[in-house]
Amino acid sequence: MGEYTDKRLLEMFQNAKTRNLAFNHIINQNQERAYWHIRKIVLSHEDANDVIQNTFIKVWKNLDKFKGDSKIYTWIYTIATNESINFLKKKKKHYFESLDLVSYRLSENFSADSYFDGDDIEKKLQEALLILPTKQRIAFNMKYFDKMKYDEISEILGTSVGALKANYHHAKNKIEEFLKEN
Amino acid sequence: MYKKTDIEDLERRIPFTVPSGYFQELKFEIQKQCITKEKDSGFSVFQFKTLVPALGILLVFITLFNNIETTISEVELTKNDLIAYLENNLSDELLYEYAILEDEKEDDELSDEIDYLLEYDMEYNLIINQL
């Protein structure tokens, strides 16, 4: 299936006859990277599966209002990020815990998770990531694993490039310190 | 003393996996969810776009109908309003003339009744009582 430009996909989505076809293309082009973005935030596969579906339901409902000011994939990343944070907030309410503590509790399940195949250092790195505040962790993941440009991360998270650079440097030091001590 | 690890040197691999064939199924699951949600919502975007103008037209009709009713009510109230208007706005002379006309009208109605009673040989006492 060939890739369409964002402009073409949006035109197709506006037309009732090609609406479903356009949406299929959008899912195909974005579902994997959106899933991995979400998975790195919520960690468990079952939770990521719920959040990715909610994300695309929101995409479906709101795509006709999308003006095309940004790329479709950055817009989907933004929705996925918000959905993931909201998901963690719901967990926080459920357990009466802080958002960051919820993230930390998620790390306790690494060993039991059948969909985790990391070695010791990868497991340690994931645990180290969970000492970061949630939003800092999300930004770090996007830069470190997804190798996204600061401009793109800035657009998705609504944080200035300068603040992101400082945060990345700070997060890197904290992680390396954690790895040294553990 | 442990050596500090430089994370830039590590392999940047995401240590998570998904069930086999997951992304193939995910696509269909998302499509199914979107269709279900749309059906559950009761009406689609298309129906919404149709419903809004229809409700607008209905609202205009209701407003117009209410205005017509208001006009009819105003017509029905005109006699009462006219008396109030006359009392407030017309000169004393005109009101006096209006009062005389009203008395004459009442007198005419009374004399009609007397004529009727006389014509059918009614009791005089009854006539006097009527007067």
mmCIF file of all heavy atoms in Angstrom, chain B residues 1 3 9-10 12 18-19 27-28 34 43 53-54 57 64 74 80 82 87 108 119 121-122:
data_model
loop_
_atom_site.group_PDB
_atom_site.id
_atom_site.type_symbol
_atom_site.label_atom_id
_atom_site.label_comp_id
_atom_site.label_asym_id
_atom_site.label_seq_id
_atom_site.Cartn_x
_atom_site.Cartn_y
_atom_site.Cartn_z
ATOM 1 N N MET B 1 34.389 1.077 43.812
ATOM 2 C CA MET B 1 33.752 2.209 43.137
ATOM 3 C C MET B 1 33.328 1.789 41.718
ATOM 4 O O MET B 1 34.138 1.305 40.939
ATOM 5 C CB MET B 1 34.744 3.373 43.081
ATOM 6 C CG MET B 1 34.250 4.555 42.305
ATOM 7 S SD MET B 1 34.297 6.045 43.279
ATOM 8 C CE MET B 1 33.694 7.224 42.137
ATOM 9 N N LYS B 3 32.014 2.269 37.853
ATOM 10 C CA LYS B 3 32.260 3.228 36.775
ATOM 11 C C LYS B 3 30.917 3.778 36.276
ATOM 12 O O LYS B 3 29.955 3.018 36.161
ATOM 13 C CB LYS B 3 32.999 2.511 35.633
ATOM 14 C CG LYS B 3 33.509 3.415 34.556
ATOM 15 C CD LYS B 3 34.089 2.578 33.418
ATOM 16 C CE LYS B 3 34.218 3.434 32.170
ATOM 17 N NZ LYS B 3 34.463 2.599 31.003
ATOM 18 N N ASP B 9 26.324 5.342 24.865
ATOM 19 C CA ASP B 9 27.051 4.196 24.301
ATOM 20 C C ASP B 9 26.202 2.929 24.259
ATOM 21 O O ASP B 9 26.592 1.937 23.647
ATOM 22 C CB ASP B 9 28.313 3.902 25.146
ATOM 23 C CG ASP B 9 29.298 5.051 25.085
ATOM 24 O OD1 ASP B 9 29.229 5.818 24.107
ATOM 25 O OD2 ASP B 9 30.109 5.198 26.031
ATOM 26 N N LEU B 10 25.068 2.929 24.926
ATOM 27 C CA LEU B 10 24.232 1.717 24.983
ATOM 28 C C LEU B 10 23.446 1.539 23.680
ATOM 29 O O LEU B 10 23.178 2.511 22.959
ATOM 30 C CB LEU B 10 23.229 1.799 26.143
ATOM 31 C CG LEU B 10 23.804 1.884 27.556
ATOM 32 C CD1 LEU B 10 22.676 2.057 28.564
ATOM 33 C CD2 LEU B 10 24.604 0.616 27.885
ATOM 34 N N ARG B 12 20.283 1.367 21.726
ATOM 35 C CA ARG B 12 18.979 2.001 22.018
ATOM 36 C C ARG B 12 17.845 1.113 21.532
ATOM 37 O O ARG B 12 17.140 1.429 20.576
ATOM 38 C CB ARG B 12 18.904 3.381 21.364
ATOM 39 C CG ARG B 12 19.983 4.289 21.881
ATOM 40 C CD ARG B 12 19.899 5.672 21.321
ATOM 41 N NE ARG B 12 21.118 6.395 21.679
ATOM 42 C CZ ARG B 12 21.248 7.695 21.637
ATOM 43 N NH1 ARG B 12 20.247 8.442 21.241
ATOM 44 N NH2 ARG B 12 22.384 8.271 21.977
ATOM 45 N N VAL B 18 5.455 -7.496 21.411
ATOM 46 C CA VAL B 18 3.985 -7.574 21.309
ATOM 47 C C VAL B 18 3.606 -8.989 20.875
ATOM 48 O O VAL B 18 4.450 -9.703 20.319
ATOM 49 C CB VAL B 18 3.421 -6.547 20.290
ATOM 50 C CG1 VAL B 18 3.606 -5.130 20.774
ATOM 51 C CG2 VAL B 18 4.055 -6.728 18.917
ATOM 52 N N PRO B 19 2.361 -9.410 21.105
ATOM 53 C CA PRO B 19 1.941 -10.739 20.638
ATOM 54 C C PRO B 19 2.098 -10.856 19.119
ATOM 55 O O PRO B 19 1.998 -9.849 18.408
ATOM 56 C CB PRO B 19 0.463 -10.822 21.044
ATOM 57 C CG PRO B 19 0.301 -9.798 22.110
ATOM 58 C CD PRO B 19 1.283 -8.711 21.821
ATOM 59 N N LYS B 27 -5.162 -3.001 13.573
ATOM 60 C CA LYS B 27 -5.784 -2.181 12.528
ATOM 61 C C LYS B 27 -7.290 -2.469 12.440
ATOM 62 O O LYS B 27 -8.105 -1.545 12.430
ATOM 63 C CB LYS B 27 -5.107 -2.483 11.191
ATOM 64 C CG LYS B 27 -5.579 -1.643 10.041
ATOM 65 C CD LYS B 27 -4.747 -1.882 8.805
ATOM 66 C CE LYS B 27 -5.021 -3.247 8.200
ATOM 67 N NZ LYS B 27 -4.253 -3.460 6.945
ATOM 68 N N PHE B 28 -7.633 -3.745 12.423
ATOM 69 C CA PHE B 28 -9.054 -4.117 12.311
ATOM 70 C C PHE B 28 -9.817 -3.773 13.589
ATOM 71 O O PHE B 28 -10.973 -3.375 13.543
ATOM 72 C CB PHE B 28 -9.179 -5.613 11.979
ATOM 73 C CG PHE B 28 -8.591 -5.959 10.644
ATOM 74 C CD1 PHE B 28 -7.508 -6.818 10.538
ATOM 75 C CD2 PHE B 28 -9.098 -5.386 9.484
ATOM 76 C CE1 PHE B 28 -6.948 -7.117 9.295
ATOM 77 C CE2 PHE B 28 -8.542 -5.683 8.236
ATOM 78 C CZ PHE B 28 -7.463 -6.552 8.147
ATOM 79 N N CYS B 34 -14.108 2.189 15.891
ATOM 80 C CA CYS B 34 -14.586 3.476 15.359
ATOM 81 C C CYS B 34 -16.005 3.338 14.819
ATOM 82 O O CYS B 34 -16.848 4.200 15.057
ATOM 83 C CB CYS B 34 -13.654 3.992 14.267
ATOM 84 S SG CYS B 34 -12.070 4.512 14.930
ATOM 85 N N PHE B 43 -25.946 9.314 16.000
ATOM 86 C CA PHE B 43 -25.937 9.947 14.681
ATOM 87 C C PHE B 43 -24.521 10.305 14.265
ATOM 88 O O PHE B 43 -23.672 10.585 15.083
ATOM 89 C CB PHE B 43 -26.843 11.185 14.634
ATOM 90 C CG PHE B 43 -26.557 12.208 15.675
ATOM 91 C CD1 PHE B 43 -25.598 13.193 15.462
ATOM 92 C CD2 PHE B 43 -27.237 12.195 16.871
ATOM 93 C CE1 PHE B 43 -25.354 14.149 16.423
ATOM 94 C CE2 PHE B 43 -26.986 13.150 17.841
ATOM 95 C CZ PHE B 43 -26.050 14.119 17.616
ATOM 96 N N PRO B 53 -29.210 22.364 10.592
ATOM 97 C CA PRO B 53 -30.070 23.272 9.813
ATOM 98 C C PRO B 53 -31.559 22.986 10.007
ATOM 99 O O PRO B 53 -32.369 23.906 10.062
ATOM 100 C CB PRO B 53 -29.662 22.996 8.369
ATOM 101 C CG PRO B 53 -28.383 22.291 8.429
ATOM 102 C CD PRO B 53 -28.299 21.607 9.740
ATOM 103 N N ALA B 54 -31.916 21.686 10.121
ATOM 104 C CA ALA B 54 -33.328 21.319 10.303
ATOM 105 C C ALA B 54 -33.865 21.915 11.609
ATOM 106 O O ALA B 54 -34.966 22.476 11.640
ATOM 107 C CB ALA B 54 -33.483 19.807 10.325
ATOM 108 N N ILE B 57 -34.369 25.648 11.140
ATOM 109 C CA ILE B 57 -35.609 25.970 10.414
ATOM 110 C C ILE B 57 -36.815 25.823 11.349
ATOM 111 O O ILE B 57 -37.695 26.679 11.387
ATOM 112 C CB ILE B 57 -35.746 25.066 9.161
ATOM 113 C CG1 ILE B 57 -34.660 25.442 8.148
ATOM 114 C CG2 ILE B 57 -37.134 25.186 8.540
ATOM 115 C CD1 ILE B 57 -34.471 24.438 7.036
ATOM 116 N N LEU B 64 -41.876 32.322 14.406
ATOM 117 C CA LEU B 64 -42.877 32.987 13.566
ATOM 118 C C LEU B 64 -44.287 32.706 14.082
ATOM 119 O O LEU B 64 -45.116 33.607 14.181
ATOM 120 C CB LEU B 64 -42.758 32.504 12.115
ATOM 121 C CG LEU B 64 -41.651 33.145 11.286
ATOM 122 C CD1 LEU B 64 -41.555 32.468 9.925
ATOM 123 C CD2 LEU B 64 -41.930 34.630 11.106
ATOM 124 N N GLU B 74 -53.059 40.625 20.282
ATOM 125 C CA GLU B 74 -53.104 42.083 20.332
ATOM 126 C C GLU B 74 -54.400 42.598 19.712
ATOM 127 O O GLU B 74 -55.024 43.523 20.212
ATOM 128 C CB GLU B 74 -51.894 42.660 19.595
ATOM 129 C CG GLU B 74 -50.643 42.635 20.469
ATOM 130 C CD GLU B 74 -49.383 42.909 19.679
ATOM 131 O OE1 GLU B 74 -49.489 43.160 18.466
ATOM 132 O OE2 GLU B 74 -48.312 42.836 20.297
ATOM 133 N N ASN B 80 -60.378 46.629 24.692
ATOM 134 C CA ASN B 80 -60.032 47.048 26.068
ATOM 135 C C ASN B 80 -58.942 48.108 26.059
ATOM 136 O O ASN B 80 -59.010 49.096 26.779
ATOM 137 C CB ASN B 80 -59.547 45.847 26.890
ATOM 138 C CG ASN B 80 -60.666 44.841 27.083
ATOM 139 O OD1 ASN B 80 -61.839 45.226 27.105
ATOM 140 N ND2 ASN B 80 -60.308 43.593 27.200
ATOM 141 N N LEU B 82 -58.291 50.070 23.742
ATOM 142 C CA LEU B 82 -58.803 51.322 23.160
ATOM 143 C C LEU B 82 -59.436 52.203 24.230
ATOM 144 O O LEU B 82 -59.203 53.414 24.263
ATOM 145 C CB LEU B 82 -59.835 50.981 22.073
ATOM 146 C CG LEU B 82 -60.358 52.162 21.272
ATOM 147 C CD1 LEU B 82 -59.230 52.848 20.507
ATOM 148 C CD2 LEU B 82 -61.433 51.708 20.296
ATOM 149 N N GLU B 87 -59.184 56.912 27.505
ATOM 150 C CA GLU B 87 -59.178 57.552 28.829
ATOM 151 C C GLU B 87 -57.912 58.368 29.061
ATOM 152 O O GLU B 87 -57.946 59.414 29.675
ATOM 153 C CB GLU B 87 -59.302 56.485 29.926
ATOM 154 C CG GLU B 87 -60.721 55.971 30.075
ATOM 155 C CD GLU B 87 -60.836 54.835 31.052
ATOM 156 O OE1 GLU B 87 -59.787 54.389 31.568
ATOM 157 O OE2 GLU B 87 -61.961 54.384 31.284
ATOM 158 N N ASP B 108 -81.955 53.084 24.431
ATOM 159 C CA ASP B 108 -82.591 52.451 23.260
ATOM 160 C C ASP B 108 -82.897 50.988 23.553
ATOM 161 O O ASP B 108 -83.969 50.484 23.226
ATOM 162 C CB ASP B 108 -81.677 52.543 22.028
ATOM 163 C CG ASP B 108 -81.642 53.967 21.486
ATOM 164 O OD1 ASP B 108 -82.514 54.779 21.891
ATOM 165 O OD2 ASP B 108 -80.735 54.259 20.677
ATOM 166 N N GLU B 119 -96.372 45.330 23.790
ATOM 167 C CA GLU B 119 -96.927 44.643 22.612
ATOM 168 C C GLU B 119 -97.596 43.330 23.005
ATOM 169 O O GLU B 119 -98.578 42.926 22.424
ATOM 170 C CB GLU B 119 -95.786 44.384 21.601
ATOM 171 C CG GLU B 119 -96.278 43.956 20.238
ATOM 172 C CD GLU B 119 -95.137 43.731 19.261
ATOM 173 O OE1 GLU B 119 -94.041 44.357 19.469
ATOM 174 O OE2 GLU B 119 -95.303 42.950 18.327
ATOM 175 N N ASP B 121 -98.951 42.622 25.965
ATOM 176 C CA ASP B 121 -99.868 42.842 27.098
ATOM 177 C C ASP B 121 -99.315 42.327 28.423
ATOM 178 O O ASP B 121 -99.937 41.531 29.132
ATOM 179 C CB ASP B 121 -101.225 42.146 26.834
ATOM 180 C CG ASP B 121 -101.925 42.782 25.668
ATOM 181 O OD1 ASP B 121 -101.706 44.017 25.496
ATOM 182 O OD2 ASP B 121 -102.631 42.071 24.954
ATOM 183 N N MET B 122 -98.127 42.725 28.694
ATOM 184 C CA MET B 122 -97.525 42.290 29.946
ATOM 185 C C MET B 122 -98.051 43.142 31.081
ATOM 186 O O MET B 122 -98.622 44.210 30.880
ATOM 187 C CB MET B 122 -95.991 42.419 29.880
ATOM 188 C CG MET B 122 -95.361 41.608 28.778
ATOM 189 S SD MET B 122 -95.653 39.837 28.929
ATOM 190 C CE MET B 122 -94.525 39.453 30.234
#
